[in-house]
Amino acid sequence: MAALVVAEHDNVSISPATLSTIAAARACDGEVHLLVAGSGADEAARAASRIGGVARVLHAEGPCLADGLAENVAAQVLAVAGGYGHILFPANAGGKSVAPRVAAKLDVSQLSDIVRVESSDTFERPIYAGNALATVQSGDPVKVITVRATGFDPVAATGGDARIESVPAVSGYGRSRFAGREVSGSDRPDLTAAKIVVSGGRGLGSADRFKDVIGPLADKLGAAIGASRAAVDAGYAPHDLQVGQTGKVVAPQLYIATGISGAIQHLAGMKDSKVIVAINRDGEAPIFGVADYGLEADLFEAVPELLTRL
């Protein structure tokens, strides 16, 4: 049986998280199909067909799919779910909204946040805020899975030549409607896809200091900006920058933590980073326990000096 991956897209391109989800699907089953559901998503479907390792692209076009409402997307997934042994979603806001609905309708258990595939029915996932890994085995006929993108290297976005097949779009669910969306724009890289992330914590002391210290360092490195939950709760940074168990999970090549103590909640979202650098004046801060390089110093002195050397 083939595996079905539900693509995250912007009607033009396929998200990096979907590329990692495809890698997980390939480990589950030899043949991978990709569902592109949307309205005006022809270009996204063509981009999907070029992804390495995808055998078939299912393209569903309909007005009710335009805004990605979870009820409508779930209905579309269920409409094409027959014949698939695995249905996979990226473990982000969209996937976490749709996957439970699909699992409930199929009367199967959901496998959440997997980071490794041992076999077609056995998977590894983090538990206890990432402090332990559990191996879980499912006997369900269909495995509904969300994939933590940081656990799998993304497949190539080009090099494939999959057939695009149009499938009928479902009608709207009717009990929910799209009210609006507020999108914050930025010239910096997307937090979950950036190769370098500079994060600030409560140690920065204020929103102005967060902006004045973290912003220039991120700009100099071409990095995305992140924040700890404490910094977000204090109003130093918006919620969409939060890294952690209740925020975004990142695994960049370089993660610089400034003024972050290293609570378990935060470590769960960034400890898979390839190289971790910590700057904190508290030498006993837990962040130093996971850091590859640590600097015990006043960040208001250390960061400006670092900028002069870059």
Side-chain angles (χ1 to χ4, degrees):
M1 299 174 75
L4 177 68
V5 173
V6 181
E8 180 185 60
H9 62 90
D10 59 3
N11 289 333
V12 177
S13 59
I14 304 297
S15 74
T18 300
L19 301 180
S20 295
T21 305
I22 293 169
R26 292 180 66 182
C28 294
D29 197 292
E31 184 170 325
V32 177
H33 296 175
L34 191 61
L35 173 63
V36 177
S39 180
D42 291 349
E43 186 57 39
R46 286 191 287 270
S49 71
R50 296 190 290 268
I51 296 174
V54 173
R56 185 175 164 200
V57 175
L58 307 181
H59 182 202
E61 275 280 327
C64 74
L65 300 171
D67 301 304
L69 289 177
E71 296 85 351
N72 295 345
V73 176
Q76 185 64 61
V77 174
L78 290 166
V80 300
Y84 292 107
H86 300 80
I87 302 175
L88 299 95
F89 304 78
N92 52 24
K96 290 178 179 180
S97 295
V98 179
R101 290 175 163 86
V102 172
K105 286 291 187 179
L106 293 175
D107 194 24
V108 298
S109 299
Q110 178 180 312
L111 300 164
S112 302
D113 273 342
I114 70 163
V115 294
R116 193 163 74 90
V117 177
E118 290 194 1
S119 67
S120 62
D121 66 352
T122 306
F123 310 90
E124 199 172 83
R125 62 180 299 270
I127 57 174
Y128 300 123
N131 286 294
L133 292 171
T135 300
V136 294
Q137 187 174 39
S138 171
D140 289 326
V142 181
K143 281 72 172 171
V144 177
I145 300 167
T146 60
V147 177
R148 181 170 288 192
T150 57
F152 298 87
D153 292 330
V155 299
T158 58
D161 187 22
R163 183 176 83 256
I164 300 175
E165 178 183 332
S166 294
V167 297
V170 297
S171 57
Y173 182 68
R175 297 185 182 181
S176 61
R177 64 181 179 85
F178 179 74
R181 178 182 289 117
E182 293 183 12
V183 180
S184 56
S186 175
D187 293 332
R188 296 191 177 98
D190 178 71
L191 179 57
T192 57
K195 293 183 178 180
I196 302 174
V197 173
V198 178
S199 279
R202 186 164 46 191
L204 284 151
S206 69
D208 288 340
R209 284 183 166 184
F210 188 100
K211 179 180 177 181
D212 293 342
V213 173
I214 301 299
L217 181 57
D219 290 341
K220 189 76 172 181
L221 295 172
I225 290 180
S228 69
R229 177 172 178 172
V232 170
D233 288 347
Y236 303 168
H239 182 268
D240 61 350
L241 297 185
Q242 182 179 326
V243 174
Q245 186 180 13
T246 55
K248 294 179 178 178
V249 177
V250 300
Q253 297 295 318
L254 173 63
Y255 188 90
I256 302 177
T258 59
I260 295 175
S261 64
I264 289 176
Q265 197 279 145
H266 186 75
L267 298 183
M270 47 66 71
K271 66 180 183 180
D272 289 331
S273 303
K274 304 303 182 288
V275 176
I276 300 172
V277 176
I279 303 174
N280 199 302
R281 64 182 179 184
D282 178 9
E284 301 299 318
I287 190 68
F288 287 119
V290 299
D292 297 284
Y293 301 95
L295 176 61
E296 184 180 346
D298 186 329
L299 67 91
F300 299 110
E301 296 176 358
V303 173
E305 183 176 348
L306 177 61
L307 283 169
T308 64
R309 296 171 181 267
L310 292 174

